[in-house]
Amino acid sequence: MDYVRETGGAAGTLLIPTRFVWPYGGRSVHLCGSFTGWSGHYPMTPVEGCPTVFQTICNLPPGYHQYKFIVDGEWRHDAHLPIVSGNYGEVHTVFVGGEAGCVPPILIPEIQPGSNMDVDNEAFQRVVKVSDGALHEVLSRLPETDLEVSCHRIAVFLSTRKAYELLPESGKVIALDVDLPVKQAFHILHEQGIPTAPLWDFCKGELVGVLSALDFILIIRELGSHGSNLTEEELETHTISAWKETKLYLSRQIDGNERLIPRKLVHVEPDENLKDIALKILDNNVATVPVIHSSSGDALFPQLLHLASLSGILKSICRYFRHSSGSLPLLQLPICAIPLGTWVPRIGETARRPLAMLRPSASLGAALSLLVQAQISSIPIVDDNDSLLDVYSRSDITALAKDKVYTHINLEEMTVHQALQLGQEPLSPYGFSSQRCHMCLRSDPLLLVMERLSKPGVRRLIVVEAGSKRVEGIIALSDIFRFLLR
């Protein structure tokens, strides 16, 4: 429910998503309050896996609000919540307001061309402050000792497995020469359907880095910025190595560093164990690491065997423990009962990380800025009720390479919805794609979530409410490994 739409509030009012919960069952449960003028009744829906617990989320302005529950046609109160006497009898009260130092949530104003695209911009960043009422934890948690034992068993398994086990029976690994023009490189990424590729320096006879979709995002943003150092003509002939030097210079400007220190290539040897590889990926905040084999006594001609990723390591875990998950009760726990991922917090909880979402009408420039500055791999695209419509990921940027779309677009005029439709069949009304939207429910067991995240190309799962598909949280590949290897 949106306070602005339903009550005629000012369009620029700061709204905070607030969850109301009725945990005592009923056939039909509604919410009524001062924010509805005491005339509107808003339906509450059962929580997935908890049929006696009803909830709804309302976007409310900061301040005090009064409310009541209507259960099966009768006014009801929650005995566990404070009650005060008001003009409408005995009512509950809730105070909605941000804490000092918190980034304000968004109200979903349309992002205007030329607006500031920093991650702190309230036009596209959301820190969700939620009231949970008296929602009680209905799912049992593992004792801490059992949890530690489960994580230890998985860590031991990873310590005994080598990178060789990640190599597929057949396949190919594409490496790009650093002297290749940037334009041609990104056409290759698009045509091959890959988000990253190692870089080979023929003069040095070694792999020197990785080109990723993030590089293309930075180039497109640089091309579209005022007073850019890059032009379309330069992109035609600009080599990958020249771009890397430009990127280093831009990083120095952003970070304020005086010295230009190139980042060394993060790679692994075939005999390194999977636990060390996972930690190396996490510590260096990279998506993949090349597995490089050097012949004994001849390190000048390394062989690129594979690109190791967290999804490949997770697939090994799932394959090994799938048929013995009974010995690891942790894998059968629902994800909502595990300290994992980024969730819409309950009442009184402080959001540790922002839960970023965008409307389909938001500009592509806003999406790219959020991907870069928030350091995330994908963004849920939601409707006015925060229900999931689609997902915009870093790798989607390569679609702009098709037919040189990047040469005639304005980042602030093209919407996220339009960008997602490039090269796809038009979808209605805003293009919900079940193949692109990798989802799960809060009641799904950890093993099922891990199996979904182990699929190639899937780095985040959007936790949605059953039926409404309202976004409730996000679980990333890195979240799984930080939890298992803590």
mmCIF file with all atom_site columns, all heavy atoms in Angstrom, residues 19 28 75 90 165 187 198 235 267 279 294 305 316 330 350 388 398 400 413 417 431:
data_model
loop_
_atom_site.group_PDB
_atom_site.id
_atom_site.type_symbol
_atom_site.label_atom_id
_atom_site.label_alt_id
_atom_site.label_comp_id
_atom_site.label_asym_id
_atom_site.label_entity_id
_atom_site.label_seq_id
_atom_site.pdbx_PDB_ins_code
_atom_site.Cartn_x
_atom_site.Cartn_y
_atom_site.Cartn_z
_atom_site.occupancy
_atom_site.B_iso_or_equiv
_atom_site.pdbx_formal_charge
_atom_site.auth_seq_id
_atom_site.auth_comp_id
_atom_site.auth_asym_id
_atom_site.auth_atom_id
_atom_site.pdbx_PDB_model_num
ATOM 1   N N   . ARG A 1 19  ? 6.067   -2.948  7.932   1.00 0.00 ? 19  ARG A N   1
ATOM 2   C CA  . ARG A 1 19  ? 5.331   -4.214  7.926   1.00 0.00 ? 19  ARG A CA  1
ATOM 3   C C   . ARG A 1 19  ? 4.436   -4.331  9.151   1.00 0.00 ? 19  ARG A C   1
ATOM 4   O O   . ARG A 1 19  ? 4.848   -4.105  10.286  1.00 0.00 ? 19  ARG A O   1
ATOM 5   C CB  . ARG A 1 19  ? 6.307   -5.387  7.889   1.00 0.00 ? 19  ARG A CB  1
ATOM 6   C CG  . ARG A 1 19  ? 5.619   -6.749  7.965   1.00 0.00 ? 19  ARG A CG  1
ATOM 7   C CD  . ARG A 1 19  ? 6.616   -7.888  7.923   1.00 0.00 ? 19  ARG A CD  1
ATOM 8   N NE  . ARG A 1 19  ? 7.206   -7.983  6.599   1.00 0.00 ? 19  ARG A NE  1
ATOM 9   C CZ  . ARG A 1 19  ? 8.385   -8.553  6.384   1.00 0.00 ? 19  ARG A CZ  1
ATOM 10  N NH1 . ARG A 1 19  ? 9.086   -9.009  7.378   1.00 0.00 ? 19  ARG A NH1 1
ATOM 11  N NH2 . ARG A 1 19  ? 8.851   -8.630  5.160   1.00 0.00 ? 19  ARG A NH2 1
ATOM 12  N N   . SER A 1 28  ? -10.073 -14.152 7.181   1.00 0.00 ? 28  SER A N   1
ATOM 13  C CA  . SER A 1 28  ? -9.882  -12.902 6.447   1.00 0.00 ? 28  SER A CA  1
ATOM 14  C C   . SER A 1 28  ? -9.374  -11.837 7.405   1.00 0.00 ? 28  SER A C   1
ATOM 15  O O   . SER A 1 28  ? -10.029 -11.530 8.410   1.00 0.00 ? 28  SER A O   1
ATOM 16  C CB  . SER A 1 28  ? -11.213 -12.461 5.813   1.00 0.00 ? 28  SER A CB  1
ATOM 17  O OG  . SER A 1 28  ? -11.088 -11.195 5.208   1.00 0.00 ? 28  SER A OG  1
ATOM 18  N N   . TRP A 1 75  ? -13.327 -6.092  14.920  1.00 0.00 ? 75  TRP A N   1
ATOM 19  C CA  . TRP A 1 75  ? -12.137 -5.365  15.364  1.00 0.00 ? 75  TRP A CA  1
ATOM 20  C C   . TRP A 1 75  ? -11.364 -6.218  16.356  1.00 0.00 ? 75  TRP A C   1
ATOM 21  O O   . TRP A 1 75  ? -11.942 -6.770  17.297  1.00 0.00 ? 75  TRP A O   1
ATOM 22  C CB  . TRP A 1 75  ? -12.536 -4.052  16.045  1.00 0.00 ? 75  TRP A CB  1
ATOM 23  C CG  . TRP A 1 75  ? -13.101 -3.001  15.128  1.00 0.00 ? 75  TRP A CG  1
ATOM 24  C CD1 . TRP A 1 75  ? -14.402 -2.621  15.027  1.00 0.00 ? 75  TRP A CD1 1
ATOM 25  C CD2 . TRP A 1 75  ? -12.371 -2.218  14.195  1.00 0.00 ? 75  TRP A CD2 1
ATOM 26  N NE1 . TRP A 1 75  ? -14.544 -1.638  14.081  1.00 0.00 ? 75  TRP A NE1 1
ATOM 27  C CE2 . TRP A 1 75  ? -13.307 -1.376  13.550  1.00 0.00 ? 75  TRP A CE2 1
ATOM 28  C CE3 . TRP A 1 75  ? -11.031 -2.136  13.822  1.00 0.00 ? 75  TRP A CE3 1
ATOM 29  C CZ2 . TRP A 1 75  ? -12.939 -0.469  12.572  1.00 0.00 ? 75  TRP A CZ2 1
ATOM 30  C CZ3 . TRP A 1 75  ? -10.664 -1.236  12.851  1.00 0.00 ? 75  TRP A CZ3 1
ATOM 31  C CH2 . TRP A 1 75  ? -11.605 -0.416  12.229  1.00 0.00 ? 75  TRP A CH2 1
ATOM 32  N N   . GLU A 1 90  ? -9.918  1.856   21.283  1.00 0.00 ? 90  GLU A N   1
ATOM 33  C CA  . GLU A 1 90  ? -8.595  1.360   21.619  1.00 0.00 ? 90  GLU A CA  1
ATOM 34  C C   . GLU A 1 90  ? -7.860  0.980   20.329  1.00 0.00 ? 90  GLU A C   1
ATOM 35  O O   . GLU A 1 90  ? -8.359  0.189   19.531  1.00 0.00 ? 90  GLU A O   1
ATOM 36  C CB  . GLU A 1 90  ? -8.691  0.154   22.551  1.00 0.00 ? 90  GLU A CB  1
ATOM 37  C CG  . GLU A 1 90  ? -9.242  0.508   23.929  1.00 0.00 ? 90  GLU A CG  1
ATOM 38  C CD  . GLU A 1 90  ? -9.262  -0.692  24.852  1.00 0.00 ? 90  GLU A CD  1
ATOM 39  O OE1 . GLU A 1 90  ? -9.352  -1.819  24.333  1.00 0.00 ? 90  GLU A OE1 1
ATOM 40  O OE2 . GLU A 1 90  ? -9.156  -0.500  26.076  1.00 0.00 ? 90  GLU A OE2 1
ATOM 41  N N   . GLU A 1 165 ? 39.080  -30.614 -10.090 1.00 0.00 ? 165 GLU A N   1
ATOM 42  C CA  . GLU A 1 165 ? 37.723  -31.141 -10.085 1.00 0.00 ? 165 GLU A CA  1
ATOM 43  C C   . GLU A 1 165 ? 36.716  -30.155 -10.662 1.00 0.00 ? 165 GLU A C   1
ATOM 44  O O   . GLU A 1 165 ? 35.574  -30.528 -10.935 1.00 0.00 ? 165 GLU A O   1
ATOM 45  C CB  . GLU A 1 165 ? 37.331  -31.533 -8.661  1.00 0.00 ? 165 GLU A CB  1
ATOM 46  C CG  . GLU A 1 165 ? 38.222  -32.613 -8.069  1.00 0.00 ? 165 GLU A CG  1
ATOM 47  C CD  . GLU A 1 165 ? 37.698  -33.145 -6.750  1.00 0.00 ? 165 GLU A CD  1
ATOM 48  O OE1 . GLU A 1 165 ? 36.469  -33.093 -6.535  1.00 0.00 ? 165 GLU A OE1 1
ATOM 49  O OE2 . GLU A 1 165 ? 38.511  -33.601 -5.940  1.00 0.00 ? 165 GLU A OE2 1
ATOM 50  N N   . HIS A 1 187 ? 32.022  -7.002  -28.551 1.00 0.00 ? 187 HIS A N   1
ATOM 51  C CA  . HIS A 1 187 ? 31.206  -7.759  -29.494 1.00 0.00 ? 187 HIS A CA  1
ATOM 52  C C   . HIS A 1 187 ? 31.431  -9.253  -29.276 1.00 0.00 ? 187 HIS A C   1
ATOM 53  O O   . HIS A 1 187 ? 30.495  -10.047 -29.371 1.00 0.00 ? 187 HIS A O   1
ATOM 54  C CB  . HIS A 1 187 ? 31.545  -7.368  -30.933 1.00 0.00 ? 187 HIS A CB  1
ATOM 55  C CG  . HIS A 1 187 ? 30.807  -6.155  -31.410 1.00 0.00 ? 187 HIS A CG  1
ATOM 56  N ND1 . HIS A 1 187 ? 29.532  -6.214  -31.905 1.00 0.00 ? 187 HIS A ND1 1
ATOM 57  C CD2 . HIS A 1 187 ? 31.160  -4.849  -31.435 1.00 0.00 ? 187 HIS A CD2 1
ATOM 58  C CE1 . HIS A 1 187 ? 29.118  -5.011  -32.243 1.00 0.00 ? 187 HIS A CE1 1
ATOM 59  N NE2 . HIS A 1 187 ? 30.098  -4.159  -31.966 1.00 0.00 ? 187 HIS A NE2 1
ATOM 60  N N   . PRO A 1 198 ? 39.713  -13.656 -19.747 1.00 0.00 ? 198 PRO A N   1
ATOM 61  C CA  . PRO A 1 198 ? 41.102  -13.351 -19.377 1.00 0.00 ? 198 PRO A CA  1
ATOM 62  C C   . PRO A 1 198 ? 41.806  -12.600 -20.502 1.00 0.00 ? 198 PRO A C   1
ATOM 63  O O   . PRO A 1 198 ? 41.436  -12.721 -21.680 1.00 0.00 ? 198 PRO A O   1
ATOM 64  C CB  . PRO A 1 198 ? 41.726  -14.735 -19.135 1.00 0.00 ? 198 PRO A CB  1
ATOM 65  C CG  . PRO A 1 198 ? 40.570  -15.665 -18.974 1.00 0.00 ? 198 PRO A CG  1
ATOM 66  C CD  . PRO A 1 198 ? 39.464  -15.106 -19.797 1.00 0.00 ? 198 PRO A CD  1
ATOM 67  N N   . LEU A 1 235 ? 36.748  4.735   -29.291 1.00 0.00 ? 235 LEU A N   1
ATOM 68  C CA  . LEU A 1 235 ? 36.313  3.384   -28.956 1.00 0.00 ? 235 LEU A CA  1
ATOM 69  C C   . LEU A 1 235 ? 36.529  2.433   -30.124 1.00 0.00 ? 235 LEU A C   1
ATOM 70  O O   . LEU A 1 235 ? 36.773  1.241   -29.927 1.00 0.00 ? 235 LEU A O   1
ATOM 71  C CB  . LEU A 1 235 ? 34.828  3.397   -28.560 1.00 0.00 ? 235 LEU A CB  1
ATOM 72  C CG  . LEU A 1 235 ? 34.260  2.093   -28.003 1.00 0.00 ? 235 LEU A CG  1
ATOM 73  C CD1 . LEU A 1 235 ? 34.978  1.688   -26.734 1.00 0.00 ? 235 LEU A CD1 1
ATOM 74  C CD2 . LEU A 1 235 ? 32.772  2.223   -27.751 1.00 0.00 ? 235 LEU A CD2 1
ATOM 75  N N   . HIS A 1 267 ? 45.017  -15.327 -9.713  1.00 0.00 ? 267 HIS A N   1
ATOM 76  C CA  . HIS A 1 267 ? 44.856  -16.627 -10.363 1.00 0.00 ? 267 HIS A CA  1
ATOM 77  C C   . HIS A 1 267 ? 45.156  -17.733 -9.371  1.00 0.00 ? 267 HIS A C   1
ATOM 78  O O   . HIS A 1 267 ? 45.633  -17.482 -8.257  1.00 0.00 ? 267 HIS A O   1
ATOM 79  C CB  . HIS A 1 267 ? 45.777  -16.742 -11.584 1.00 0.00 ? 267 HIS A CB  1
ATOM 80  C CG  . HIS A 1 267 ? 47.231  -16.828 -11.216 1.00 0.00 ? 267 HIS A CG  1
ATOM 81  N ND1 . HIS A 1 267 ? 47.987  -15.731 -10.854 1.00 0.00 ? 267 HIS A ND1 1
ATOM 82  C CD2 . HIS A 1 267 ? 48.067  -17.904 -11.152 1.00 0.00 ? 267 HIS A CD2 1
ATOM 83  C CE1 . HIS A 1 267 ? 49.212  -16.101 -10.584 1.00 0.00 ? 267 HIS A CE1 1
ATOM 84  N NE2 . HIS A 1 267 ? 49.290  -17.420 -10.753 1.00 0.00 ? 267 HIS A NE2 1
ATOM 85  N N   . LEU A 1 279 ? 38.132  -18.609 -0.788  1.00 0.00 ? 279 LEU A N   1
ATOM 86  C CA  . LEU A 1 279 ? 38.579  -17.488 0.033   1.00 0.00 ? 279 LEU A CA  1
ATOM 87  C C   . LEU A 1 279 ? 39.308  -16.440 -0.808  1.00 0.00 ? 279 LEU A C   1
ATOM 88  O O   . LEU A 1 279 ? 39.181  -15.230 -0.567  1.00 0.00 ? 279 LEU A O   1
ATOM 89  C CB  . LEU A 1 279 ? 39.481  -17.987 1.159   1.00 0.00 ? 279 LEU A CB  1
ATOM 90  C CG  . LEU A 1 279 ? 38.789  -18.833 2.238   1.00 0.00 ? 279 LEU A CG  1
ATOM 91  C CD1 . LEU A 1 279 ? 39.816  -19.388 3.220   1.00 0.00 ? 279 LEU A CD1 1
ATOM 92  C CD2 . LEU A 1 279 ? 37.740  -18.004 2.981   1.00 0.00 ? 279 LEU A CD2 1
ATOM 93  N N   . SER A 1 294 ? 51.375  -24.190 -15.346 1.00 0.00 ? 294 SER A N   1
ATOM 94  C CA  . SER A 1 294 ? 52.680  -23.916 -15.957 1.00 0.00 ? 294 SER A CA  1
ATOM 95  C C   . SER A 1 294 ? 53.484  -25.208 -15.998 1.00 0.00 ? 294 SER A C   1
ATOM 96  O O   . SER A 1 294 ? 53.645  -25.874 -14.970 1.00 0.00 ? 294 SER A O   1
ATOM 97  C CB  . SER A 1 294 ? 53.440  -22.853 -15.163 1.00 0.00 ? 294 SER A CB  1
ATOM 98  O OG  . SER A 1 294 ? 52.725  -21.628 -15.179 1.00 0.00 ? 294 SER A OG  1
ATOM 99  N N   . LEU A 1 305 ? 43.486  -23.223 -18.143 1.00 0.00 ? 305 LEU A N   1
ATOM 100 C CA  . LEU A 1 305 ? 42.664  -24.429 -18.109 1.00 0.00 ? 305 LEU A CA  1
ATOM 101 C C   . LEU A 1 305 ? 41.183  -24.150 -17.899 1.00 0.00 ? 305 LEU A C   1
ATOM 102 O O   . LEU A 1 305 ? 40.331  -24.832 -18.468 1.00 0.00 ? 305 LEU A O   1
ATOM 103 C CB  . LEU A 1 305 ? 43.158  -25.360 -16.990 1.00 0.00 ? 305 LEU A CB  1
ATOM 104 C CG  . LEU A 1 305 ? 44.614  -25.817 -17.066 1.00 0.00 ? 305 LEU A CG  1
ATOM 105 C CD1 . LEU A 1 305 ? 44.919  -26.741 -15.897 1.00 0.00 ? 305 LEU A CD1 1
ATOM 106 C CD2 . LEU A 1 305 ? 44.895  -26.509 -18.387 1.00 0.00 ? 305 LEU A CD2 1
ATOM 107 N N   . SER A 1 316 ? 30.064  -28.406 -6.584  1.00 0.00 ? 316 SER A N   1
ATOM 108 C CA  . SER A 1 316 ? 30.774  -29.559 -6.011  1.00 0.00 ? 316 SER A CA  1
ATOM 109 C C   . SER A 1 316 ? 30.230  -29.903 -4.635  1.00 0.00 ? 316 SER A C   1
ATOM 110 O O   . SER A 1 316 ? 30.078  -31.084 -4.290  1.00 0.00 ? 316 SER A O   1
ATOM 111 C CB  . SER A 1 316 ? 32.271  -29.245 -5.908  1.00 0.00 ? 316 SER A CB  1
ATOM 112 O OG  . SER A 1 316 ? 32.842  -29.031 -7.184  1.00 0.00 ? 316 SER A OG  1
ATOM 113 N N   . LEU A 1 330 ? 21.790  -28.622 8.796   1.00 0.00 ? 330 LEU A N   1
ATOM 114 C CA  . LEU A 1 330 ? 21.855  -27.237 8.350   1.00 0.00 ? 330 LEU A CA  1
ATOM 115 C C   . LEU A 1 330 ? 21.288  -27.089 6.942   1.00 0.00 ? 330 LEU A C   1
ATOM 116 O O   . LEU A 1 330 ? 20.600  -26.101 6.640   1.00 0.00 ? 330 LEU A O   1
ATOM 117 C CB  . LEU A 1 330 ? 23.311  -26.761 8.376   1.00 0.00 ? 330 LEU A CB  1
ATOM 118 C CG  . LEU A 1 330 ? 23.629  -25.423 7.688   1.00 0.00 ? 330 LEU A CG  1
ATOM 119 C CD1 . LEU A 1 330 ? 22.965  -24.279 8.434   1.00 0.00 ? 330 LEU A CD1 1
ATOM 120 C CD2 . LEU A 1 330 ? 25.134  -25.213 7.597   1.00 0.00 ? 330 LEU A CD2 1
ATOM 121 N N   . THR A 1 350 ? 18.105  -2.586  12.553  1.00 0.00 ? 350 THR A N   1
ATOM 122 C CA  . THR A 1 350 ? 18.765  -1.623  11.674  1.00 0.00 ? 350 THR A CA  1
ATOM 123 C C   . THR A 1 350 ? 19.285  -2.340  10.448  1.00 0.00 ? 350 THR A C   1
ATOM 124 O O   . THR A 1 350 ? 19.951  -3.363  10.556  1.00 0.00 ? 350 THR A O   1
ATOM 125 C CB  . THR A 1 350 ? 19.939  -0.935  12.397  1.00 0.00 ? 350 THR A CB  1
ATOM 126 O OG1 . THR A 1 350 ? 19.433  -0.266  13.549  1.00 0.00 ? 350 THR A OG1 1
ATOM 127 C CG2 . THR A 1 350 ? 20.622  0.079   11.484  1.00 0.00 ? 350 THR A CG2 1
ATOM 128 N N   . LEU A 1 388 ? 8.354   -8.373  -7.872  1.00 0.00 ? 388 LEU A N   1
ATOM 129 C CA  . LEU A 1 388 ? 9.440   -8.558  -8.824  1.00 0.00 ? 388 LEU A CA  1
ATOM 130 C C   . LEU A 1 388 ? 8.920   -8.648  -10.256 1.00 0.00 ? 388 LEU A C   1
ATOM 131 O O   . LEU A 1 388 ? 8.009   -9.418  -10.556 1.00 0.00 ? 388 LEU A O   1
ATOM 132 C CB  . LEU A 1 388 ? 10.216  -9.827  -8.472  1.00 0.00 ? 388 LEU A CB  1
ATOM 133 C CG  . LEU A 1 388 ? 11.500  -10.089 -9.262  1.00 0.00 ? 388 LEU A CG  1
ATOM 134 C CD1 . LEU A 1 388 ? 12.534  -9.008  -8.986  1.00 0.00 ? 388 LEU A CD1 1
ATOM 135 C CD2 . LEU A 1 388 ? 12.068  -11.462 -8.913  1.00 0.00 ? 388 LEU A CD2 1
ATOM 136 N N   . THR A 1 398 ? 26.276  -6.003  -22.167 1.00 0.00 ? 398 THR A N   1
ATOM 137 C CA  . THR A 1 398 ? 26.848  -6.424  -23.453 1.00 0.00 ? 398 THR A CA  1
ATOM 138 C C   . THR A 1 398 ? 25.808  -6.400  -24.573 1.00 0.00 ? 398 THR A C   1
ATOM 139 O O   . THR A 1 398 ? 26.168  -6.408  -25.750 1.00 0.00 ? 398 THR A O   1
ATOM 140 C CB  . THR A 1 398 ? 27.455  -7.831  -23.356 1.00 0.00 ? 398 THR A CB  1
ATOM 141 O OG1 . THR A 1 398 ? 26.442  -8.759  -22.966 1.00 0.00 ? 398 THR A OG1 1
ATOM 142 C CG2 . THR A 1 398 ? 28.597  -7.859  -22.349 1.00 0.00 ? 398 THR A CG2 1
ATOM 143 N N   . LEU A 1 400 ? 24.206  -3.943  -25.437 1.00 0.00 ? 400 LEU A N   1
ATOM 144 C CA  . LEU A 1 400 ? 24.373  -2.672  -26.132 1.00 0.00 ? 400 LEU A CA  1
ATOM 145 C C   . LEU A 1 400 ? 25.395  -2.777  -27.266 1.00 0.00 ? 400 LEU A C   1
ATOM 146 O O   . LEU A 1 400 ? 25.481  -1.883  -28.111 1.00 0.00 ? 400 LEU A O   1
ATOM 147 C CB  . LEU A 1 400 ? 24.805  -1.573  -25.154 1.00 0.00 ? 400 LEU A CB  1
ATOM 148 C CG  . LEU A 1 400 ? 23.839  -1.246  -24.011 1.00 0.00 ? 400 LEU A CG  1
ATOM 149 C CD1 . LEU A 1 400 ? 24.380  -0.086  -23.196 1.00 0.00 ? 400 LEU A CD1 1
ATOM 150 C CD2 . LEU A 1 400 ? 22.451  -0.926  -24.536 1.00 0.00 ? 400 LEU A CD2 1
ATOM 151 N N   . GLU A 1 413 ? 17.888  8.799   -20.873 1.00 0.00 ? 413 GLU A N   1
ATOM 152 C CA  . GLU A 1 413 ? 16.605  8.729   -21.571 1.00 0.00 ? 413 GLU A CA  1
ATOM 153 C C   . GLU A 1 413 ? 16.133  7.294   -21.768 1.00 0.00 ? 413 GLU A C   1
ATOM 154 O O   . GLU A 1 413 ? 14.929  7.027   -21.783 1.00 0.00 ? 413 GLU A O   1
ATOM 155 C CB  . GLU A 1 413 ? 16.701  9.439   -22.927 1.00 0.00 ? 413 GLU A CB  1
ATOM 156 C CG  . GLU A 1 413 ? 16.919  10.947  -22.812 1.00 0.00 ? 413 GLU A CG  1
ATOM 157 C CD  . GLU A 1 413 ? 17.056  11.614  -24.165 1.00 0.00 ? 413 GLU A CD  1
ATOM 158 O OE1 . GLU A 1 413 ? 17.033  10.888  -25.188 1.00 0.00 ? 413 GLU A OE1 1
ATOM 159 O OE2 . GLU A 1 413 ? 17.199  12.848  -24.202 1.00 0.00 ? 413 GLU A OE2 1
ATOM 160 N N   . HIS A 1 417 ? 13.660  -0.817  -18.489 1.00 0.00 ? 417 HIS A N   1
ATOM 161 C CA  . HIS A 1 417 ? 12.769  -1.721  -19.226 1.00 0.00 ? 417 HIS A CA  1
ATOM 162 C C   . HIS A 1 417 ? 13.171  -1.800  -20.698 1.00 0.00 ? 417 HIS A C   1
ATOM 163 O O   . HIS A 1 417 ? 13.242  -2.887  -21.278 1.00 0.00 ? 417 HIS A O   1
ATOM 164 C CB  . HIS A 1 417 ? 11.333  -1.241  -19.104 1.00 0.00 ? 417 HIS A CB  1
ATOM 165 C CG  . HIS A 1 417 ? 10.366  -1.958  -19.994 1.00 0.00 ? 417 HIS A CG  1
ATOM 166 N ND1 . HIS A 1 417 ? 10.144  -3.314  -19.910 1.00 0.00 ? 417 HIS A ND1 1
ATOM 167 C CD2 . HIS A 1 417 ? 9.576   -1.519  -21.007 1.00 0.00 ? 417 HIS A CD2 1
ATOM 168 C CE1 . HIS A 1 417 ? 9.259   -3.672  -20.815 1.00 0.00 ? 417 HIS A CE1 1
ATOM 169 N NE2 . HIS A 1 417 ? 8.901   -2.609  -21.498 1.00 0.00 ? 417 HIS A NE2 1
ATOM 170 N N   . GLY A 1 431 ? 7.499   -6.827  -18.830 1.00 0.00 ? 431 GLY A N   1
ATOM 171 C CA  . GLY A 1 431 ? 8.490   -7.802  -19.256 1.00 0.00 ? 431 GLY A CA  1
ATOM 172 C C   . GLY A 1 431 ? 8.974   -8.732  -18.172 1.00 0.00 ? 431 GLY A C   1
ATOM 173 O O   . GLY A 1 431 ? 10.159  -8.934  -18.015 1.00 0.00 ? 431 GLY A O   1
#
